Amino acid sequence: MMSGNYHHIDNQKVSGSVPAVTDPGHIPVQFAESNLQTFPPSGAQGKISGASRPPRDADDSFSKPVNGIEEPQQPGGWLRAFSVASYKPYFDVDTVDVLERIKDSLFPFNGSFNEKTTNNPDLYGPFWICTTLIFVAASIGTFVTYVAHKVEKKEWNYDINVVTWSAGLFYGYVTLVPLALYVILKYFSAPSGLVQLFCLYGYSLFIFIPTLCLSIVPLEIFRWIVAGVAGFMSASFVALNLRAHIMSAGERWFLIVAGIFLLQLALSVVLKMYLFTVTF
């Protein structure tokens, strides 16, 4: 019984020791203005830009809006030749444009190619044609020699130099010949656009793609006929498109046109002699 009384007294003491607290309601609390720095900072801090932009040397071509942004400033003078952006307009062609220019190269006597490409010469077509020619010439030339050796039951070894020789021939021809012609025309006060010459000579080589394919036929006389026709068409295409322009160079215009024609014709002879002449 006594333990129960003590327990009752302790409960009264505990309950009496906690005073009642009334609800004061909502008390507004004010904080002092924060001194924390906002991130990202509003101004440039060292090498980090506050506008959250990629670094200057980053390729942000895919992050730019299509419209409303001006192109970055390009280097001027001769330094533009080392800028990739300087060549972008010459690759801005679609399939229709390239096919139309290829068709013009197959009809050389129209002589209207230069007029059509005066304002928008391209380098995409010439690059594609030369690259295709390299692989076609190497593969078909190798196949022709392989078949000839097998027919004669001779030992045959693959010659890797065919690829490097073809690359040097086509890339070198379509680069050095127009460059030399550009200098010659400028000397005779009849300058022509260098890119336009690259374009003309590049498309003039397209006829050699089907020519190389036809050279699979194992008839020597047929190969010579095909090479001669292709060379004549390619040479006529270049010469007739440049004739009207070169005539302003004076009395020697005929010699220049004749040299252009013969040089292009010689290219087909070199292709026939090197790629399709089988030696055992």
Side-chain angles (χ1 to χ4, degrees):
M1 289 297 294
M2 292 182 65
S3 62
N5 292 332
Y6 282 125
H7 180 69
H8 178 68
I9 293 171
D10 291 340
N11 286 340
Q12 286 181 346
K13 289 181 179 180
V14 171
S15 62
S17 63
V18 180
V21 179
T22 60
D23 185 9
H26 296 287
I27 301 175
V29 179
Q30 296 182 353
F31 294 94
E33 184 179 357
S34 176
N35 291 325
L36 294 176
Q37 185 182 16
T38 57
F39 185 85
S42 57
Q45 302 291 335
K47 294 184 178 180
I48 301 178
S49 172
S52 185
R53 297 189 301 264
R56 291 182 180 179
D57 58 344
D59 184 6
D60 58 350
S61 56
F62 294 99
S63 62
K64 288 183 179 180
V66 177
N67 298 318
I69 275 284
E70 60 182 26
E71 293 289 333
Q73 187 175 1
Q74 299 298 328
W78 61 273
L79 292 176
R80 288 179 57 86
F82 301 95
S83 175
V84 176
S86 302
Y87 299 95
K88 288 172 61 177
Y90 302 118
F91 289 85
D92 188 17
V93 289
D94 52 24
T95 305
V96 176
D97 296 329
V98 175
L99 291 178
E100 184 68 23
R101 296 175 182 189
I102 288 176
K103 186 177 70 174
D104 289 338
S105 70
L106 297 177
F107 296 93
F109 301 105
N110 292 336
S112 58
F113 183 88
N114 255 11
E115 297 178 3
K116 294 180 179 179
T117 60
T118 299
N119 297 324
N120 58 339
D122 73 282
L123 297 177
Y124 175 80
F127 176 78
W128 176 82
I129 291 171
C130 289
T131 305
T132 305
L133 272 171
I134 292 169
F135 289 99
V136 170
S139 58
I140 293 182
T142 301
F143 178 76
V144 169
T145 55
Y146 170 78
V147 172
H149 281 75
K150 289 300 180 182
V151 170
E152 297 292 332
K153 296 181 180 180
K154 302 287 185 178
E155 183 180 357
W156 175 81
N157 295 315
Y158 175 70
D159 186 9
I160 189 62
N161 293 326
V162 175
V163 178
T164 56
W165 184 88
S166 300
L169 174 66
F170 292 115
Y171 283 143
Y173 185 87
V174 84
T175 302
L176 298 179
V177 173
L179 188 60
L181 183 59
Y182 172 78
V183 175
I184 293 173
L185 293 179
K186 196 168 184 179
Y187 174 79
F188 285 102
S189 300
S192 178
L194 181 59
V195 177
Q196 191 169 5
L197 291 175
F198 287 147
C199 180
L200 177 66
Y201 270 86
Y203 281 98
S204 72
L205 300 182
F206 178 81
I207 187 62
F208 291 110
I209 296 178
T211 301
L212 292 173
C213 295
L214 290 174
S215 297
I216 294 179
V217 179
L219 293 175
E220 192 69 12
I221 185 63
F222 178 79
R223 292 172 180 168
W224 274 111
I225 292 174
V226 169
V229 171
F232 178 79
M233 292 180 63
S234 179
S236 300
F237 173 73
V238 176
L240 292 178
N241 276 281
L242 290 175
R243 182 184 61 177
H245 179 77
I246 296 177
M247 287 178 68
S248 62
E251 298 179 354
R252 298 183 181 180
W253 71 268
F254 181 79
L255 295 177
I256 300 175
V257 173
I260 292 172
F261 183 89
L262 294 176
L263 187 62
Q264 197 81 357
L265 194 63
L267 176 64
S268 63
V269 177
V270 171
L271 290 176
K272 168 62 185 69
M273 294 294 293
Y274 187 83
L275 293 176
F276 300 103
T277 300
V278 181
T279 57
F280 297 100

